[in-house]
Coordinates of all heavy atoms in Angstrom, one line a residue:
S1 N 0.8 -1.2 0.0 CA 0.0 0.0 0.0 C 0.9 1.3 0.0 O 0.6 2.2 -0.7 CB -0.9 0.0 1.2 OG -1.7 1.2 1.3
R2 N 1.9 1.3 0.8 CA 2.8 2.5 0.9 C 3.6 2.6 -0.4 O 3.8 3.8 -0.8 CB 3.7 2.3 2.1 CG 2.9 2.4 3.4 CD 3.7 2.0 4.7 NE 5.1 2.6 4.7 CZ 6.1 1.8 5.0 NH1 6.0 0.6 5.4 NH2 7.3 2.4 5.0
L3 N 4.0 1.5 -1.0 CA 4.7 1.6 -2.3 C 3.8 2.2 -3.3 O 4.2 3.1 -4.1 CB 5.2 0.2 -2.7 CG 6.5 -0.3 -2.0 CD1 6.7 -1.7 -2.3 CD2 7.7 0.5 -2.5
Q4 N 2.6 1.7 -3.4 CA 1.6 2.2 -4.4 C 1.4 3.7 -4.2 O 1.5 4.5 -5.2 CB 0.3 1.5 -4.3 CG -0.7 1.9 -5.3 CD -1.9 1.1 -5.3 OE1 -1.9 0.0 -5.8 NE2 -3.0 1.5 -4.7
T5 N 1.2 4.2 -3.0 CA 1.0 5.6 -2.8 C 2.2 6.4 -3.2 O 2.0 7.4 -3.9 CB 0.7 5.8 -1.3 OG1 -0.5 5.1 -0.9 CG2 0.5 7.3 -1.0
T6 N 3.4 6.0 -2.8 CA 4.6 6.7 -3.2 C 4.9 6.7 -4.7 O 5.2 7.8 -5.2 CB 5.8 6.1 -2.4 OG1 5.5 6.2 -1.0 CG2 7.1 6.8 -2.7
L7 N 4.7 5.6 -5.3 CA 5.0 5.5 -6.8 C 4.0 6.3 -7.6 O 4.3 7.0 -8.5 CB 5.0 4.1 -7.2 CG 6.2 3.3 -6.8 CD1 6.0 1.8 -7.1 CD2 7.5 3.8 -7.4
R8 N 2.7 6.3 -7.1 CA 1.7 7.2 -7.8 C 2.1 8.6 -7.7 O 2.0 9.4 -8.7 CB 0.3 6.9 -7.2 CG -0.4 5.7 -7.7 CD -1.7 5.5 -7.0 NE -2.4 4.4 -7.5 CZ -3.6 4.0 -7.0 NH1 -4.2 4.6 -6.0 NH2 -4.2 2.9 -7.5
R9 N 2.5 9.0 -6.5 CA 2.9 10.4 -6.3 C 4.2 10.8 -7.1 O 4.2 11.8 -7.8 CB 3.1 10.7 -4.8 CG 3.5 12.1 -4.5 CD 3.8 12.4 -3.1 NE 4.6 11.4 -2.4 CZ 5.9 11.4 -2.4 NH1 6.6 12.3 -3.1 NH2 6.6 10.5 -1.8
L10 N 5.2 10.0 -7.0 CA 6.5 10.2 -7.7 C 6.3 10.2 -9.2 O 7.0 11.0 -9.9 CB 7.5 9.2 -7.3 CG 8.1 9.3 -5.9 CD1 9.0 8.1 -5.6 CD2 8.9 10.6 -5.7
L11 N 5.6 9.3 -9.7 CA 5.5 9.1 -11.2 C 4.2 9.9 -11.8 O 4.1 9.9 -13.0 CB 5.4 7.7 -11.6 CG 6.6 6.8 -11.1 CD1 6.4 5.4 -11.3 CD2 7.9 7.4 -11.7
G12 N 3.4 10.4 -10.9 CA 2.2 11.1 -11.4 C 1.3 10.2 -12.2 O 0.7 10.6 -13.2
A13 N 1.2 9.0 -11.8 CA 0.4 8.0 -12.5 C -0.7 7.4 -11.6 O -0.5 6.5 -10.8 CB 1.3 6.8 -12.9
K14 N -1.9 8.0 -11.7 CA -3.0 7.5 -10.8 C -3.5 6.1 -11.2 O -4.0 5.4 -10.3 CB -4.2 8.5 -11.0 CG -3.9 9.8 -10.4 CD -5.1 10.7 -10.5 CE -4.8 12.1 -9.9 NZ -5.8 13.1 -10.1
G15 N -3.2 5.7 -12.4 CA -3.6 4.3 -12.8 C -2.6 3.2 -12.5 O -2.8 2.1 -12.8
L16 N -1.5 3.6 -11.7 CA -0.5 2.7 -11.3 C -1.0 1.9 -10.1 O -1.6 2.4 -9.2 CB 0.7 3.5 -11.0 CG 2.0 2.6 -10.5 CD1 3.2 3.3 -11.1 CD2 2.0 2.5 -9.0
S17 N -0.7 0.6 -10.1 CA -1.1 -0.2 -8.9 C 0.0 -1.2 -8.6 O 0.8 -1.6 -9.5 CB -2.4 -1.0 -9.1 OG -2.3 -1.9 -10.2
V18 N 0.2 -1.5 -7.3 CA 1.1 -2.4 -6.9 C 0.3 -3.6 -6.3 O -0.5 -3.4 -5.4 CB 2.1 -1.8 -5.8 CG1 3.0 -2.9 -5.2 CG2 2.8 -0.6 -6.3
N19 N 0.5 -4.8 -6.9 CA -0.4 -5.9 -6.6 C 0.4 -7.0 -5.9 O 1.5 -7.4 -6.3 CB -1.0 -6.5 -7.9 CG -1.7 -5.4 -8.7 OD1 -2.4 -4.6 -8.2 ND2 -1.4 -5.3 -10.0
A20 N -0.2 -7.6 -4.9 CA 0.3 -8.7 -4.2 C 0.5 -9.9 -5.2 O -0.2 -10.0 -6.2 CB -0.6 -9.2 -3.1
P21 N 1.5 -10.7 -4.9 CA 1.7 -11.9 -5.8 C 0.5 -12.7 -6.0 O -0.3 -12.9 -5.0 CB 2.8 -12.7 -5.1 CG 3.4 -11.8 -4.0 CD 2.4 -10.8 -3.7
P22 N 0.2 -13.2 -7.2 CA -0.9 -14.1 -7.4 C -0.9 -15.4 -6.6 O -1.9 -16.0 -6.2 CB -0.9 -14.3 -8.9 CG 0.4 -13.9 -9.4 CD 1.0 -13.0 -8.4
R23 N 0.4 -15.8 -6.3 CA 0.6 -17.1 -5.5 C 1.8 -16.8 -4.6 O 2.7 -16.1 -5.0 CB 0.9 -18.3 -6.4 CG -0.3 -18.7 -7.3 CD 0.0 -20.0 -8.0 NE 1.2 -20.1 -8.7 CZ 1.5 -19.7 -9.9 NH1 0.6 -19.1 -10.7 NH2 2.7 -19.9 -10.4
P24 N 1.9 -17.5 -3.5 CA 3.1 -17.3 -2.6 C 4.3 -17.7 -3.4 O 4.3 -18.6 -4.2 CB 2.8 -18.3 -1.5 CG 1.3 -18.5 -1.5 CD 0.9 -18.4 -2.9
G25 N 5.4 -17.0 -3.1 CA 6.7 -17.3 -3.7 C 6.9 -16.5 -5.0 O 8.0 -16.5 -5.5
L26 N 5.9 -15.8 -5.5 CA 6.0 -15.0 -6.8 C 6.3 -13.6 -6.4 O 6.1 -13.2 -5.2 CB 4.8 -15.1 -7.6 CG 4.5 -16.5 -8.2 CD1 3.2 -16.5 -9.1 CD2 5.6 -17.0 -9.0
S27 N 6.7 -12.8 -7.4 CA 7.0 -11.4 -7.1 C 5.8 -10.5 -7.0 O 4.7 -10.8 -7.6 CB 7.9 -10.8 -8.3 OG 9.1 -11.6 -8.4

């Protein structure tokens, strides 16, 4: 959540999202 907020602000991209891995062990 904090990464998403910071990256949206830094990059000026409201459509940017940071998503949890679809399965454990993935990025």
